[in-house]
Amino acid sequence: MAASFDSMNATQLVTGGASLVNKRPIFTNDSKKSESTVLQQKVCPESYCHSDVVTNVSCNPHNKLQATTCSLDGTVRQWDIIDGALLTTFTFPWPIYSMLVHETFPTDQFYLCKQKFVGTFEKFSQNTVLMLAFFFNLDSGIFTFVCRNRDRRSANLFYTDANISRGDKGRSEVIFSQLTGECEKLTVVSGNGEFIAGIDDNFLLLYFLKGKKRPTRFKAGSHPLTCLASHPTKSTVAVGNEAGHIIIITNLHRNIISNLEHWHANRVEDLCFSPEGVFLYSVGHECVLVDWNLEKGVKSFLPRLGAPINHVSCAASNALKAVCLLDNAILILSQNVIQQTIQGISRSKLYYPTSYIPCGLLLDPRTNALVKNGRKGHLHFYNIEDDTSLVSIDITGENYVSGNTLDNIRMYTDVVQAAFSMKGDWLATVEEQRAADIRDVQCRVKFWIFDKQKQSFLLNTTVERPHDADVNALEFQPWQKNREGNNPVAVTASLDGKFKVWRYGDNFNNYKKSKCWNCDCVGFYKDAVPSDVSFSSDGSLLSVSFNVTITLWEPDANVLTKTLCHTLSNLPIRKLEFGRGQSSHMLICATSDRITSWNMLSCHVQWSVQLACKLLISDPYSELMASVDSSNKLFVFQAGHSKPLFFMDCRNSIISATFVPRTKSSLGLKEDNLLPWQKHSQLYLMTEEEEIVAIVTKEEAELYNKKQRFQNNLEESLPSTPFAEFLQSHGNRGSGIRKATTDILKKYVGDDTLVKEMVMTPPHILPPVRTLATTFLHSLLLPSDSK
């Protein structure tokens, strides 16, 4: 296959699906504004912030308006929280995996780095800073905690030979020789700044920053430790382990006393003390927030939060708590009541060792939203244009229940197939209940109708045990006005060797007349097992693949009209797709080693190309098709031609894809900024990490990044008014503020002393406006002798 040259100008743009729960969320120091003051893993888009994954965010304990971020790109950046302005950047020669900032150290910060060999710090100038950094030996798998004294020469520090002063080197001292576990949960600074605690397997490590007490290492139980938290005022540390135990260790600088608590059935994922230290919060895979009252020795629970929890944090005022759910949601709690839910694209991978999205990436025709498997038993609707979650539909009606162990998966029911009708007024789902040792326990098909008044899908029909085996294909017939009966039709295929046609119509089995879905007919071909089904664009023809044979049926009469034998490959057909538009007479079939195009008018092979096809996607709004092979190469083509229109090597493993029609907002781009084959539809891919990737031109990517910068920048979003100009000039924060303010006042209201005082005086000490109104209005009048 030869690709067109527009692939040289194309790029892959991540437009959604980023994880919100990989790192612990934090609150601003005052936590007064609202629940939205929670700082996430990213304080600004990656395109103009860090060039790699942001690994941690921390508020400056000495400046409530500043935050610090670190990244795998080796940089530490300080930000202004109010306007999102970048203040300072520090560059390290290693990726930074975590960061510790504590209020008891006015200048000290601690960074967790990974590097194959331990490097050396050089001496700089000005403020002496104690830097603590971890290094990771890739050969032995050992973390080393290194303490060095060093100086900073300037706010913009880059670790290059040109910027390094060849002066005295700082002293080096190994603090911890081994640390094991999740980077962010490896270490903690005590509340009073007395010591640093770390974990190594089932050992607790202590390094005392004050005094001359030697480092301590002692065994904290017989199970590996998973997390730790420090008391805000006392020399107390709480650690959790793999068995669900919580060990509270007190009097660390004198006699060590341990107290064992046990409630969690699985490992403890995270611990957090309340600001005053009276309560300890613990979370895990039980979907429960446990509140331990350490003074009274009692505990309380907030259950059924919907998904396993991996992080918990508490605001400084103790009024708000934040918990991170493994389905990529953050819950803001106040007095154990959910005040707000921050939902990213729901991630199902976190329930399983590998990505498990059986429904793939679907398109809701009504809203152009992307639809995929969310939390267990749910379908998640996601608006790709503004990267927001729309709704999550509970298909199975079951709560998540964790197993006795993380390896012991309980019997669960999940959505394995889903399809929308052409206009999006019907949704069909197939759910199956499975266990680790049982292939198929229970299966049902559900048909959902969209209620315009309630603006949601309502369950219309449930079919128990529709087939005698797993359902492996589901599709709606394209609706046509001139079709007999005008009733919706859907088809399911199963491993039991049959496919069934379902029709929406009158139900006479009830006492009152109603409409529901019923099985209209059953089809089969010899003893073969159907693998996929596909309707032609006008709905007049149904194709069903059986092993290497394609069967063509008239769906209204369930009559077999033609069989086509795929002789070019001995492998079974995995996917069928009819063409659209001018290619509506073409049928594409894909095996694991070949893509073949059949002409339905002549019933002959139009073309065939050897390709290990993993995915085959058809654009319902154009003639385009896309395929992804086993090596993650993307091909875009038309059904009638074997030569692709576009070719690209995808960076990540692709597990699903879909075409989304361009809306008026997206069509605001000039056609020169779009790929020629994407004038009407945009192709979106889903990676194994469940991120949404768009194939765009480099110009379109730049416009997208500029749009993100504009939306995240307060100064740019303000209207162009005199007060806006004043705020913009104030954002420069320097000696030029007063001059800029004076220039703006001269421009709009002249050189008036009263107006200057009103603008420059802090608002909390200004007198009431009514006392200034008369004087202010008189100041705007022109003198009587003026022309």
Coordinates of all heavy atoms in Angstrom, one line a residue, residues 377 379 394-398 413 415 417-419 426-431 443-449 458-464 466 474 476 490 492 502 517:
G377 N -20.6 -2.7 34.4 CA -22.1 -2.7 34.1 C -22.6 -1.3 33.6 O -23.8 -1.2 33.6
L379 N -22.4 2.1 30.8 CA -21.9 2.7 29.5 C -21.7 4.2 29.8 O -22.6 4.9 30.4 CB -22.9 2.6 28.4 CG -23.0 1.2 27.8 CD1 -24.1 1.2 26.6 CD2 -21.7 0.7 27.2
D394 N -26.4 3.1 33.9 CA -26.3 1.8 34.6 C -27.1 0.7 33.9 O -28.3 0.7 33.9 CB -26.8 1.9 36.1 CG -26.5 0.7 36.9 OD1 -26.0 -0.3 36.3 OD2 -26.8 0.7 38.1
I395 N -26.4 -0.1 33.2 CA -27.1 -1.1 32.4 C -27.5 -2.4 33.2 O -28.6 -2.9 33.1 CB -26.2 -1.6 31.2 CG1 -25.9 -0.4 30.3 CG2 -26.9 -2.6 30.3 CD1 -27.0 0.3 29.7
T396 N -26.6 -2.8 34.0 CA -26.9 -4.1 34.8 C -27.5 -3.9 36.1 O -28.1 -4.8 36.6 CB -25.5 -4.8 35.0 OG1 -24.7 -4.0 35.8 CG2 -24.8 -5.1 33.7
G397 N -27.4 -2.7 36.7 CA -28.0 -2.5 38.0 C -27.4 -3.2 39.2 O -28.1 -3.6 40.1
E398 N -26.1 -3.4 39.1 CA -25.4 -4.1 40.2 C -24.3 -3.2 40.7 O -23.6 -2.5 40.0 CB -24.7 -5.4 39.6 CG -25.7 -6.4 39.1 CD -25.1 -7.7 38.6 OE1 -23.8 -7.7 38.6 OE2 -25.8 -8.6 38.2
T413 N -21.4 -9.0 36.3 CA -22.1 -8.8 35.0 C -21.6 -7.6 34.3 O -21.5 -6.5 34.9 CB -23.6 -8.7 35.3 OG1 -24.1 -9.8 36.1 CG2 -24.4 -8.6 34.0
V415 N -21.3 -5.3 30.4 CA -21.9 -5.1 29.0 C -20.8 -5.5 28.0 O -19.7 -4.9 28.0 CB -22.3 -3.6 28.9 CG1 -22.9 -3.4 27.5 CG2 -23.1 -3.1 30.0
Q417 N -21.7 -6.1 24.5 CA -22.1 -5.6 23.2 C -23.0 -4.4 23.3 O -23.8 -4.4 24.3 CB -22.8 -6.7 22.3 CG -21.9 -7.9 22.0 CD -20.9 -7.6 20.9 OE1 -21.0 -6.7 20.2 NE2 -19.9 -8.5 20.8
A418 N -22.9 -3.4 22.4 CA -23.8 -2.3 22.4 C -23.9 -1.7 21.0 O -22.9 -1.8 20.3 CB -23.4 -1.2 23.4
A419 N -25.1 -1.2 20.7 CA -25.3 -0.6 19.4 C -26.4 0.4 19.4 O -27.3 0.3 20.2 CB -25.6 -1.7 18.3
W426 N -32.8 4.5 19.7 CA -32.8 3.2 20.3 C -31.3 2.8 20.7 O -30.4 3.1 19.9 CB -33.4 2.1 19.4 CG -34.9 2.1 19.3 CD1 -35.6 2.6 18.3 CD2 -35.8 1.6 20.3 NE1 -37.0 2.5 18.6 CE2 -37.1 1.8 19.8 CE3 -35.6 0.9 21.5 CZ2 -38.2 1.4 20.5 CZ3 -36.8 0.5 22.2 CH2 -38.0 0.8 21.7
L427 N -31.2 2.1 21.8 CA -29.9 1.6 22.3 C -30.1 0.1 22.6 O -31.0 -0.2 23.4 CB -29.4 2.3 23.5 CG -28.2 1.7 24.2 CD1 -27.0 1.6 23.3 CD2 -27.9 2.5 25.5
A428 N -29.3 -0.8 22.1 CA -29.4 -2.2 22.4 C -28.1 -2.6 23.1 O -27.0 -2.2 22.7 CB -29.6 -3.1 21.2
T429 N -28.2 -3.4 24.2 CA -27.1 -3.8 24.9 C -27.2 -5.3 25.2 O -28.3 -5.9 25.3 CB -27.0 -3.1 26.3 OG1 -28.2 -3.4 27.0 CG2 -26.8 -1.6 26.1
V430 N -26.0 -6.0 25.3 CA -25.9 -7.4 25.6 C -25.1 -7.5 26.9 O -23.9 -6.9 26.9 CB -25.3 -8.2 24.5 CG1 -25.2 -9.7 24.9 CG2 -26.1 -8.1 23.2
E431 N -25.6 -8.1 27.9 CA -24.8 -8.2 29.2 C -24.6 -9.7 29.5 O -25.5 -10.5 29.3 CB -25.5 -7.5 30.3 CG -26.9 -7.9 30.6 CD -27.6 -7.0 31.6 OE1 -27.8 -5.8 31.3 OE2 -27.9 -7.5 32.7
C443 N -27.0 -14.5 30.3 CA -26.9 -13.6 29.2 C -28.3 -13.0 29.0 O -29.3 -13.7 29.1 CB -26.4 -14.2 28.0 SG -26.3 -13.2 26.5
R444 N -28.3 -11.7 28.7 CA -29.6 -11.0 28.4 C -29.3 -9.9 27.4 O -28.3 -9.3 27.4 CB -30.3 -10.5 29.7 CG -29.5 -9.5 30.4 CD -30.4 -9.0 31.6 NE -30.6 -10.1 32.6 CZ -29.8 -10.4 33.6 NH1 -28.7 -9.7 33.8 NH2 -30.1 -11.4 34.4
V445 N -30.4 -9.6 26.6 CA -30.4 -8.5 25.7 C -31.4 -7.5 26.2 O -32.5 -7.9 26.5 CB -30.7 -9.0 24.2 CG1 -30.8 -7.8 23.3 CG2 -29.6 -9.9 23.7
K446 N -31.0 -6.2 26.2 CA -31.9 -5.1 26.6 C -32.0 -4.1 25.5 O -31.0 -3.8 24.8 CB -31.4 -4.5 27.9 CG -31.4 -5.4 29.1 CD -30.9 -4.7 30.4 CE -31.1 -5.5 31.6 NZ -30.5 -4.9 32.8
F447 N -33.2 -3.6 25.3 CA -33.5 -2.5 24.3 C -33.9 -1.3 25.1 O -34.9 -1.4 25.9 CB -34.6 -3.0 23.3 CG -34.1 -4.1 22.4 CD1 -34.4 -5.4 22.8 CD2 -33.4 -3.8 21.3 CE1 -33.9 -6.5 21.9 CE2 -33.0 -4.8 20.4 CZ -33.3 -6.2 20.8
W448 N -33.3 -0.2 24.9 CA -33.5 1.1 25.6 C -34.0 2.1 24.6 O -33.5 2.2 23.5 CB -32.3 1.6 26.2 CG -31.6 0.6 27.1 CD1 -30.8 -0.5 26.7 CD2 -31.5 0.6 28.5 NE1 -30.3 -1.2 27.8 CE2 -30.7 -0.5 28.9 CE3 -32.1 1.4 29.5 CZ2 -30.5 -0.8 30.3 CZ3 -31.8 1.1 30.9 CH2 -31.0 0.0 31.2
I449 N -35.1 2.8 25.0 CA -35.6 3.9 24.1 C -35.3 5.2 24.7 O -35.3 5.4 26.0 CB -37.1 3.7 23.9 CG1 -37.6 4.7 22.9 CG2 -37.9 3.8 25.2 CD1 -39.1 4.5 22.4
L458 N -34.6 4.9 28.6 CA -35.4 4.1 29.5 C -35.5 2.7 28.9 O -35.6 2.4 27.7 CB -36.8 4.7 29.6 CG -36.9 6.2 30.0 CD1 -38.4 6.6 30.1 CD2 -36.2 6.3 31.4
L459 N -35.5 1.7 29.9 CA -35.5 0.3 29.5 C -36.9 0.0 28.9 O -37.9 0.2 29.6 CB -35.2 -0.5 30.7 CG -35.2 -2.0 30.4 CD1 -34.1 -2.4 29.4 CD2 -35.0 -2.8 31.7
N460 N -36.9 -0.6 27.7 CA -38.2 -1.0 27.1 C -38.4 -2.5 27.1 O -39.5 -3.0 27.5 CB -38.2 -0.5 25.6 CG -39.4 -1.0 24.9 OD1 -39.4 -2.0 24.2 ND2 -40.5 -0.2 24.9
T461 N -37.4 -3.3 26.8 CA -37.5 -4.7 26.7 C -36.3 -5.4 27.2 O -35.2 -5.0 27.0 CB -37.8 -5.2 25.3 OG1 -38.9 -4.5 24.7 CG2 -38.0 -6.7 25.2
T462 N -36.5 -6.4 28.0 CA -35.4 -7.3 28.5 C -35.7 -8.7 28.0 O -36.7 -9.3 28.2 CB -35.3 -7.3 30.0 OG1 -35.0 -6.0 30.5 CG2 -34.1 -8.2 30.5
V463 N -34.7 -9.3 27.3 CA -34.8 -10.7 26.8 C -33.8 -11.5 27.5 O -32.6 -11.4 27.4 CB -34.5 -10.7 25.3 CG1 -34.7 -12.2 24.8 CG2 -35.4 -9.8 24.5
E464 N -34.3 -12.4 28.4 CA -33.5 -13.4 29.1 C -33.1 -14.5 28.2 O -33.9 -15.1 27.5 CB -34.2 -13.9 30.3 CG -34.6 -12.8 31.3 CD -33.4 -12.3 32.1 OE1 -32.3 -12.9 32.1 OE2 -33.6 -11.2 32.8
P466 N -31.2 -14.9 25.3 CA -31.6 -14.8 23.9 C -31.0 -15.8 23.1 O -31.5 -16.2 22.0 CB -31.1 -13.4 23.5 CG -30.0 -13.1 24.5 CD -30.4 -13.8 25.8
L474 N -23.9 -7.6 17.2 CA -25.2 -6.9 17.4 C -25.2 -5.7 16.5 O -24.2 -4.9 16.5 CB -25.3 -6.4 18.9 CG -26.4 -5.5 19.3 CD1 -27.8 -6.1 19.1 CD2 -26.3 -5.0 20.7
F476 N -28.1 -2.7 14.4 CA -29.4 -2.2 14.0 C -29.5 -2.1 12.5 O -28.5 -1.8 11.9 CB -29.7 -0.9 14.7 CG -30.3 -0.9 16.1 CD1 -29.4 -0.8 17.1 CD2 -31.6 -1.1 16.3 CE1 -29.9 -0.8 18.4 CE2 -32.1 -1.1 17.6 CZ -31.3 -1.0 18.7
A490 N -33.3 -5.2 14.6 CA -31.9 -5.4 15.1 C -31.6 -6.9 14.9 O -32.5 -7.8 14.8 CB -31.8 -5.1 16.6
T492 N -28.8 -10.1 16.2 CA -27.8 -10.6 17.1 C -27.3 -11.9 16.5 O -28.0 -12.7 15.9 CB -28.3 -10.9 18.5 OG1 -29.4 -11.8 18.5 CG2 -28.8 -9.6 19.1
W502 N -34.6 -9.3 15.5 CA -35.5 -8.8 16.5 C -36.2 -7.6 15.9 O -35.7 -6.7 15.3 CB -34.7 -8.4 17.7 CG -33.9 -9.5 18.3 CD1 -32.6 -9.8 18.0 CD2 -34.3 -10.4 19.3 NE1 -32.2 -10.8 18.7 CE2 -33.1 -11.2 19.5 CE3 -35.4 -10.6 20.1 CZ2 -33.2 -12.3 20.5 CZ3 -35.4 -11.6 21.0 CH2 -34.3 -12.4 21.2
W517 N -39.9 -5.5 22.0 CA -39.1 -6.2 21.0 C -39.3 -7.7 21.1 O -39.3 -8.3 22.2 CB -37.6 -5.9 21.2 CG -37.2 -4.5 20.8 CD1 -37.4 -3.4 21.5 CD2 -36.6 -4.1 19.5 NE1 -37.0 -2.3 20.8 CE2 -36.5 -2.7 19.6 CE3 -36.2 -4.8 18.4 CZ2 -35.9 -2.0 18.6 CZ3 -35.6 -4.1 17.4 CH2 -35.5 -2.7 17.4

